[in-house]
C-alpha cells in the first residue's frame, strides 16, 4: 500500500510540473512592445527627409501610384512626421486597409505603413494618418 501511495504521489508531482509549464503566458519568441506613443519619423531608419519616392496602393481596388515629386513628398512628410503612433501587438488584425504606403530611398524600401500597421507591426489605428494618406493618394497624378 505504501508503494502505491509513493508512486501516486510522484505521478501527481510530475503532472503538476508539466501542467504548470504549459500555462506560461509569455512565449519565448514574443517581443514586448511598449504602448508608449512615438512620433512616426522615429520608425524611419535615418533621416525621413531623404525619402525620394513613395509608392501607394489603394486597399479598395489595388491601384498603385508612385511619386518622385520632391515638393509633394516633403510637404506630406512634414504633415505626418510628428503624428503619434502606438504599436499594439494585441490589436486585432484588420481585414482590409485604406492604403498601403511604401517609402523608398535610392530605390530601397525603407518604411512601410498602413493606418493600422507600421513596418509590419500592428498599431492602434491612426485616423489622421489615414486622412493624410488619402490626401496624398489624391494628389499623386
Amino acid at each position: 500500500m505504501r508503494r502505491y501511495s509513493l508512486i501516486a504521489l510522484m505521478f501527481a508531482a510530475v503532472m503538476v510540473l508539466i501542467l504548470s509549464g504549459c500555462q506560461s503566458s509569455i512565449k519565448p519568441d514574443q517581443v514586448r512592445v511598449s504602448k508608449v506613443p512615438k512620433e512616426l519619423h522615429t520608425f524611419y531608419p535615418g533621416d525621413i527627409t531623404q525619402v525620394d519616392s513613395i509608392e501607394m496602393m489603394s486597399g479598395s481596388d489595388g491601384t498603385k501610384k508612385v511619386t518622385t515629386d520632391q515638393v509633394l513628398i516633403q510637404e506630406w512628410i512634414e504633415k505626418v512626421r510628428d503624428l503619434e503612433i502606438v504599436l499594439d501587438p494585441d490589436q486585432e488584425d484588420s481585414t482590409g486597409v485604406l492604403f498601403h504606403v511604401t517609402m523608398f530611398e535610392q530605390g530601397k524600401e525603407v518604411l512601410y505603413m498602413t493606418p493600422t500597421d507600421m513596418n509590419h507591426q500592428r498599431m492602434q489605428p491612426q485616423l489622421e494618418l489615414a486622412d493624410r494618406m488619402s490626401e496624398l493618394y489624391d494628389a499623386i497624378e
Side-chain angles (χ1 to χ4, degrees), residues 14-106:
V14 169
M15 290 304 294
V16 166
L17 288 173
I18 290 172
L19 293 175
S20 67
C22 293
Q23 294 180 0
S24 176
S25 64
I26 299 175
K27 299 175 186 146
D29 61 344
Q30 186 178 16
V31 177
R32 291 248 177 221
V33 175
S34 171
K35 292 184 182 180
V36 175
K38 292 172 53 178
E39 293 178 340
L40 184 143
H41 71 91
T42 63
F43 292 94
Y44 192 89
D47 182 2
I48 196 167
T49 63
Q50 297 302 306
V51 170
D52 56 20
S53 173
I54 295 179
E55 177 183 280
M56 294 191 72
M57 184 173 72
S58 168
S60 62
D61 63 8
T63 302
K64 285 187 180 182
K65 290 186 175 185
V66 177
T67 185
T68 56
D69 179 340
Q70 287 304 296
V71 173
L72 181 61
I73 291 171
Q74 295 308 315
E75 286 176 353
W76 189 74
I77 287 173
E78 284 306 310
K79 291 178 183 177
V80 301
R81 72 178 292 138
D82 295 323
L83 293 179
E84 290 190 345
I85 305 298
V86 179
L87 294 181
D88 187 357
D90 299 327
Q91 187 71 32
E92 292 184 22
D93 285 331
S94 57
T95 56
V97 294
L98 188 60
F99 295 105
H100 301 263
V101 175
T102 308
M103 296 179 165
F104 294 88
E105 193 174 316
Q106 299 177 356

